[in-house]
Amino acid sequence: MNQTGEDLDTLVLNKERAGRKKLALGMYFHVPFCSTTCDFCAFYQEKPSKKGIESYFRGLEMELSRFPPDRAVSTIFIGGGTPGLLQSDDLERLCKLINSTGLEKSYEWSIELAPSEINPEKLQVLKGQGVNRISMGVQTFNPTFMDALGRKHPVDKIYQAYQWIRDADFPSVNLDLLFGAPGQTLADWEADLAQAVDLQPDHLSTYCLTFEEDTAMYVRLAEGKVDIDPEREARFYEFAWDYLPAHGYEQYEVSNYAKPGHPCQHNLNTWGMNEWIGYGPSACSQYQGVRRKNIANLEEWEAGLQPEGTPQFMEQEKLGSIDFARDAVLFGLRMNQGIDLGQIATQFDLQMRVFAESAHFLERLCHEGLAEKDGSDAFRLSKQGRILCDAIACDLPELAGV
Ligand code: SF4
């Protein structure tokens, strides 16, 4: 169901909370263009065209002036889609728009780039505009699995693009890897991890292939041509959990690893239930007590932002402290450092009794070997618990209302 910006304006926004706590603020920009659709991808994207790109920039300018950040921004993430499909002058235009908003003195500014779209000219533009973190979508170094995933770039492109990124001297570089492709063995996964480690990026994200509806991969699943094997997926996860820390990458979340000083601040901001504003079709925001998702349609998104239009949202929900606290628990349990219920209570101005059932639940997990206690109110999942973290999240009791 679509909801409108007028609905949003009538909501009692939780400005006091944002102001009082001085939550960190991030911005996310969704660039909705891809030249082809990867077989596993369910993100909103469409083929780039001059008309579409112009429409995107018109919408973005209006969206930024209609929903400007109310304070300095500490993290920026340009994702997609394929932001690297934009030519250098359009990348510069996008970055200048971002720079026209207030940024904290020390900020993290990431952009996702696909290997085949990277060139030295674009990298120079991004660096000159203040981008300081490149996230490259490698997925796999194995041509067979690259083909199975519907990725079109040749493997050589990865190495060339990575060299250009390093030559441009960006302070932080992430590589995204995907595991669980049909037919991939543990030895294949080890080979991918070894090749990634050889490049010595600062950060690695390792995601399990998921079968999202309306993707080519999902159709193959429905036709019985591929299957889901949770035990195999668990073995792949566990392998990375041992392999990457042994090679200098500290795990800080189920799927994320970093060298010292390089965890992704934008992700930490999100998982810590701080605030961010999403710009572009299908972008999500969590801001001033409201979580919402922009309409996933370039034309309708732009039309809604016109002076006479009404911004269109696919989802929109006003949330209270209890909702944010519960999500802080859920996301916190995915992190290696775990959660401190006392700290979460303080962050969201809640009393500890709100967490009574959750604490009992977590104590029970400790007895079952799925969690460990780290202090009087602090818990983290054990290795076995992290394998089951999705199931644990489903079973976590609701927080009691105040
Ligand atoms: S995975 Fe990335 S590059 Fe591939 S279709 Fe999806 S958004 Fe585009």
Side-chain angles (χ1 to χ4, degrees):
M1 181 182 67
N2 292 346
Q3 292 179 306
T4 70
E6 278 170 1
D7 299 334
L8 176 65
D9 294 339
T10 60
L11 291 172
V12 181
L13 300 180
N14 194 357
K15 285 184 178 161
E16 297 80 1
R17 183 176 154 256
R20 191 172 62 245
K21 298 291 184 189
K22 288 197 173 38
L23 297 174
L25 179 61
M27 289 197 291
Y28 172 75
F29 290 82
H30 187 79
V31 181
F33 306 109
C34 291
S35 47
T36 55
T37 301
C38 300
D39 291 359
F40 55 90
C41 181
F43 291 121
Y44 168 64
Q45 36 87 16
E46 51 182 73
K47 285 217 178 341
S49 65
K50 201 163 184 296
K51 186 168 163 263
I53 290 172
E54 273 313 308
S55 164
Y56 176 66
F57 276 104
R58 275 196 307 273
L60 218 47
E61 281 166 21
M62 292 186 285
E63 194 169 38
L64 273 163
S65 72
R66 209 151 172 166
F67 301 106
D70 68 348
R71 58 194 186 277
V73 169
S74 54
T75 68
I76 304 122
F77 198 102
I78 305 175
T82 317
L85 268 184
L86 298 178
Q87 296 305 312
S88 302
D89 50 349
D90 283 331
L91 282 173
E92 187 166 22
R93 190 173 167 191
L94 175 59
C95 292
K96 281 185 171 165
L97 274 176
I98 294 171
N99 271 317
S100 69
T101 64
L103 305 184
E104 291 268 11
K105 275 206 187 79
S106 166
Y107 60 79
E108 178 194 86
W109 185 344
S110 308
I111 184 167
E112 273 177 359
L113 296 172
S116 52
E117 311 300 341
I118 293 174
N119 66 41
E121 187 192 349
K122 289 182 187 175
L123 292 172
Q124 280 314 317
V125 165
L126 294 168
K127 183 108 190 286
Q129 287 294 321
V131 173
N132 53 25
R133 185 172 183 272
I134 301 288
S135 178
M136 182 161 78
V138 169
Q139 317 313 349
T140 176
F141 293 87
N142 183 315
T144 305
F145 300 122
M146 204 171 277
D147 198 45
L149 295 170
R151 300 288 283 188
K152 306 293 179 205
H153 56 256
V155 176
D156 286 356
K157 267 276 168 204
I158 298 171
Y159 289 102
Q160 184 182 54
Y162 187 80
Q163 191 55 50
W164 282 334
I165 294 167
R166 282 311 192 192
D167 289 347
D169 207 18
F170 282 89
S172 203
V173 181
N174 169 58
L175 301 183
D176 275 348
L177 295 177
L178 194 67
F179 63 85
Q184 188 182 27
T185 64
L186 211 49
D188 296 323
W189 179 222
E190 180 176 4
D192 268 350
L193 290 172
Q195 287 178 87
V197 166
D198 270 354
L199 290 174
Q200 286 291 295
D202 305 289
H203 188 283
L204 280 161
S205 295
T206 60
Y207 297 109
C208 182
L209 177 67
T210 52
F211 294 84
E212 308 286 343
E213 273 185 57
D214 297 328
T215 63
M217 205 56 96
Y218 187 83
V219 172
R220 272 182 245 159
L221 180 70
E223 291 171 350
K225 292 181 180 158
V226 294
D227 57 1
I228 296 176
D229 182 349
E231 280 183 20
R232 174 172 160 262
E233 288 172 4
R235 284 200 303 277
F236 279 53
Y237 268 117
E238 285 180 307
F239 189 84
W241 292 350
D242 290 334
Y243 187 93
L244 291 174
H247 288 81
Y249 291 88
E250 189 181 346
Q251 186 186 9
Y252 66 100
E253 196 260 356
V254 168
S255 299
N256 286 281
Y257 307 78
K259 288 189 175 179
H262 290 275
C264 175
Q265 298 305 313
H266 189 79
N267 285 348
L268 292 175
N269 184 33
T270 307
W271 299 331
M273 290 299 111
N274 289 300
E275 295 196 307
W276 64 95
I277 311 177
Y279 299 93
S282 81
C284 296
S285 304
Q286 180 168 294
Y287 187 52
Q288 297 182 332
V290 177
R291 196 177 282 165
R292 69 180 186 219
K293 180 173 183 178
N294 287 352
I295 191 153
N297 179 296
L298 181 58
E299 276 177 29
E300 290 178 42
W301 166 78
E302 193 217 330
L305 291 163
Q306 297 286 345
E308 69 284 2
T310 303
Q312 301 292 308
F313 304 110
M314 297 169 75
E315 296 159 21
Q316 181 169 240
E317 194 183 7
K318 184 178 185 318
L319 299 173
S321 296
I322 290 266
D323 306 304
F324 289 117
R326 182 176 157 83
D327 285 351
V329 171
L330 291 174
F331 281 97
L333 285 175
R334 294 179 61 85
M335 298 182 60
N336 291 52
Q337 68 177 30
I339 51 165
D340 185 322
L341 295 176
Q343 274 175 17
I344 294 174
T346 305
Q347 183 181 351
F348 296 101
D349 284 337
L350 294 169
Q351 295 177 14
M352 277 303 287
R353 65 187 163 83
V354 164
F355 299 96
E357 279 190 48
S358 301
H360 283 140
F361 175 78
L362 291 165
E363 296 274 6
R364 220 170 49 240
L365 293 185
C366 291
H367 290 306
E368 292 168 11
L370 297 175
E372 293 154 4
K373 205 159 177 186
D374 238 7
S376 60
D377 299 314
F379 299 87
R380 67 171 171 216
L381 295 185
S382 64
K383 213 174 188 184
Q384 192 52 31
R386 282 207 301 278
I387 287 286
L388 299 173
C389 68
D390 289 340
I392 289 172
C394 288
D395 290 347
L396 189 81
E398 292 296 330
L399 303 187
V402 281

